[in-house]
Amino acid sequence: MINDFFNIFLPQGCLILFILIHLVLSIFISPKYHRYARPISCVGISLGIVLLTTVQTEPQYFGFKNAVMSDAYTLFFHFLILLCGFFVALLTKNLVKSMKQNAYTFHAILLTAILGGMCVVSANDFISLFISVELLSFPTYFLIASKKGYFSKEASFKYLITNAVSTGVFLFGVSYLYGLTSSLNISEIYETIIEQDPSLLYSFSGILIVLGLVSKLAIFPFANWVLDVFKGSETSILAFLSTIPKIALFGIVCRLLVFSLGSSFELTFVIAIMAIVTAIWANTYAIREKNVKVILACSSAANAAYVILVAGLVSEYNLSTVIFYLTCYVLMNLGVFAFLNITESNGIGYNLEDYKGLYHKNHGLAVAYAVCIIGLAGFPITSGFVSKIYLFSGIANSGLIFLPFLIAVLLLTVVALYYYLKLIRPLFETSENANVNILSALFSQKFVLVVCTVLTVLIGVYPEKIIELCKFIAYNI
Amino acid sequence: MEHIISIPFLIFIPMLVAFLLMSPFFTNNEIVIRRFVKTFCAFHFIYAILMLAFFDSANPYLTTIHFWGLDWIQSMGVKFSFKIDSVGIILTTLTSFIFMIAAISSKLNIRKNHKFYYSMLLILMSAILGIFTSNDMFLFFMFWELELIPAYFLIGGKWNTSDNEDAKKSAVKFVIFTFTGSIFMLVGILLLHYYNYISTGVLSGDFADVLTTSIPTAIQYLIAICFLIAFGVKLPIIPLHTWLPDAHTNAPTPISIVLAGILLKTGAYGIYRFNYQMMNETFVNIAPILAILALINIIYTAFVAYSQTDIKRIVAYSSISNMGLILLGLCAYNAIGLGASVFHMVAHALVTAGLFMICGIVYLRCKTRDINELSGISSNMPRLFGFATLIVLASIGVPAFAPFIGEITTIMASFFSEMNDVLKFVAVFALPLLIVSSCYMLKFLHKGFFGEIKESFVKVNDISMHEFVVLSAITIGLILFGIFPNVILNLMELG
């Protein structure tokens, strides 16, 4: 047990240590030192990234009585989660400022959520998976509710209710799978299934499990929460919500699909239908919407739908496209939310009109934001273009049956283009009231925005190294 | 032949200059920016002419750029590879010329946001040059999408003090139409890429590596139709054309010149590159249907143009009509047809640039584009009248001007095409219907320039120096290619 801890669990252990530090400090330290909470979190997360080098991955390492596993796949996802966690922690300054003595508690919760995300990816057992998912979800309720005012509480409650229902669905599916295979271990189930003939009941349990898990990605049956939650939360929390749960749950869902749920046609078909319905709903909803955060909520749901559609067509190539798309998407999204964080701290609202003419006084920030949005829309020179082609080549390679899905999804990206253009157009317009000010941005906010933009462009110009890495991970799962 | 320096230089220098312009280190002085861009475009044109002069159609310019020894996206076999063949070199030089004209004519039309405007113009230039030179399907697609963002801002941006709600709407319309088209192109490319891989075992997006022979016929047709939709939006082929009149009318004059002069040609070039060259088995069977669509293009839009009252709309519809002729040349599927088609692309680019220039000049001075409100401006704008007469005569196909050669050779090629009798039928119908074009063009000249001058137009000035330069460059081009068509046709090995 102790060996397992040192072999694969050190990054998580480091996070646990820093959570404890935060909790202790929150009790004993004077409220006027609240500004140290953020640096401590950042140190903890960067230490976690450093400790990733100690994790054993070759070829696969099963620890804690097969409850936790570690390979190149989990390592990459852990890295991605920690990187996003680092960026999110950097963006929390303005939120924490208003909290005073609660700052340390807030950061403890944030780190717990990141820890939960990491545990979700590396779970190798449905029990540990369930606990990890809850470890990710519970802090998220508090994070959403951390903003002052009524709407954040409502959003938090809505998210709680949706998640409670979806957890029930997930456990129902797990119970069926346990009944069929009398095992809860993901890799053992895989072996059992290969020996038996997969039955319809087996597909059914797979559908329920995936359905329960993807609710946190805002996929169709449980998609509505995303609008209220995005509307009610603070932007740094949105940066968290649109990245870390996504990475974690896509990580585990893709592996479940490859490992144990296999590629039964029913499952693929149900996932495809869910994805298409979500994409249609999200993209059409955003057309008339005027609130930036709600538009981004729709974009988040739509992107998740594209990814889950490709992930459902299980193959190693598709897995590599999914990993690459997630990497690019997460970076662009963080850039967008970093910009919104800057405007939010400058007292600018969330309506499209509020952004009018920002370009004329803030060339750099506005262009960086525009690059991220253009990337989300899938235009060239950004990683969005390459990842779009690469992701959809996965559908094209899966056979002609899925061609209608490919065309439908691509046509929906046209709809998406409309609202992405709506997001950047006001910035370059001339404002009538002409009282646009120079935005004051903290170094950390600018840092996140610039790093995300530069990476977006760099991956767009030269994607080969990252794609190779994704392929290596996907083919060695 | 490897041209590691020259081709990327030709394509990417405009983009680098655009980034330089956008950077905060560059001055905000409008005159400096304008002169800098004009000078740059002039040098670019000279460079393009030099590349044209040293071009040898047996050895097309070809280069592949590797990044640290790897292809661009090695996992999908996508190369960063460029090739300029004889069609490419003609269109590249034309692009350079049209953008030079657009940069010069921007002076009076653009009053605001100079930095942003000129950098977007140069990025658009890079994208279009990339389309004409890329040698890989995915690279082609990349440039095809890259052109949308600058075009969106150029059409819909606020470049002067007047209200531009319509311009914004038509910019969105343009982007949505083209993006929808390019979705079908992406589907086609992905399918072609995949089926080429499973039938030949070569994972590549290179035009030369794609062999369609072993792909099942039904899928070939599917792919070909996807490409036709994509390029049919840009060309435009009739039911997909509704974005064009709006975009061309509401854009500022230099952008109208670029749109009609070059952007539409990318659609024709795409059909040539993808359908005509790569999917040639299906193209032989699709061509008669396309020819009929081309005929509809020619006839329908000619009549629509006749009924318009906005002078820019007349020119915009005449562009669609002429693009139909270019499509007909490609449908003939013989060497003369291709040569005629490319020749007419050049001729039409010059004519339409001139016509939009004239519309812009008239609108700037008279503040109206309604043909019924214009009258008699020839009496105080004699130089503009002279140019207008020459260009209008050229556009209706009077001999000694370039479009005459283009129209006649296209229709000849279609008539002598050995593919299908439909083409002969189309040729027979298209020729007399070209008369309609003279109707609307002469109406444009007649109503606008002749007659009693209105009082409000008495104080209007004649054209200024830079407008004179642009119009004379266009006119010289028209006459030059009208008298010596072999300058272009020789390159196509049709002399």
Side-chain angles (χ1 to χ4, degrees), chain B residues 195-237:
Chain B
Y195 279 98
N196 182 49
Y197 172 60
I198 55 172
S199 61
T200 63
V202 182
L203 191 68
S204 170
D206 202 313
F207 284 130
D209 289 344
V210 176
L211 292 171
T212 54
T213 42
S214 46
I215 299 174
T217 322
I219 292 167
Q220 278 196 44
Y221 276 103
L222 186 70
I223 296 169
I225 287 168
C226 282
F227 287 142
L228 278 179
I229 293 172
F231 302 124
V233 170
K234 212 39 165 290
L235 191 75
I237 297 175

Side-chain angles (χ1 to χ4, degrees), chain A residues 415-430:
Chain A
V415 182
L417 171 72
Y418 178 76
Y419 60 76
Y420 285 129
L421 284 179
K422 234 169 50 171
L423 284 179
I424 45 174
R425 193 168 62 190
L427 273 85
F428 297 92
E429 279 173 359
T430 22

Side-chain angles (χ1 to χ4, degrees), chain B residues 108-161:
Chain B
L108 290 178
N109 294 288
I110 306 304
R111 294 294 173 82
K112 266 186 170 179
N113 303 338
H114 292 84
K115 254 183 147 168
F116 192 55
Y117 170 80
Y118 284 105
S119 45
M120 284 296 147
L121 193 69
L122 290 175
I123 291 178
L124 183 61
M125 182 175 179
S126 255
I128 293 175
L129 287 170
I131 289 174
F132 288 140
T133 54
S134 51
N135 191 28
D136 188 292
M137 296 188 293
F138 288 96
L139 197 63
F140 183 96
F141 181 67
M142 187 193 103
F143 284 117
W144 187 270
E145 297 233 306
L146 181 61
E147 124 215 327
L148 285 182
I149 289 286
Y152 169 76
F153 281 114
L154 287 171
I155 297 170
K158 197 175 172 78
W159 308 123
N160 49 37
T161 43

Side-chain angles (χ1 to χ4, degrees), chain A residues 51-68:
Chain A
L51 286 175
L52 282 178
T53 51
T54 65
V55 172
Q56 286 203 2
T57 58
E58 282 301 322
Q60 274 170 340
Y61 190 97
F62 296 99
F64 301 109
K65 298 190 175 161
N66 279 354
V68 174

Side-chain angles (χ1 to χ4, degrees), chain A residues 378-380 385 388-390 392-393 396-397 400 403 410 413-414 417 425 429-430 461-462 464 467 471, chain B residues 67 70 72-76 141-142 145-146 152 158 168 172 175 179-180 183 187 190 194-195 222:
Chain A
F379 275 103
F385 174 75
K388 181 179 81 175
I389 287 186
Y390 195 50
F392 292 141
S393 74
N397 294 3
L400 275 184
L403 190 65
L410 281 170
T413 61
V414 180
L417 171 72
R425 193 168 62 190
E429 279 173 359
T430 22
V461 172
Y462 186 61
E464 185 49 38
I467 292 184
K471 274 201 147 174
Chain B
F67 296 88
L70 292 169
W72 184 40
I73 309 176
Q74 181 119 7
S75 318
M76 293 177 75
F141 181 67
M142 187 193 103
E145 297 233 306
L146 181 61
Y152 169 76
K158 197 175 172 78
K168 266 188 229 160
V172 173
V175 171
F179 199 71
T180 314
I183 288 311
V187 172
L190 288 175
Y194 176 63
Y195 279 98
L222 186 70

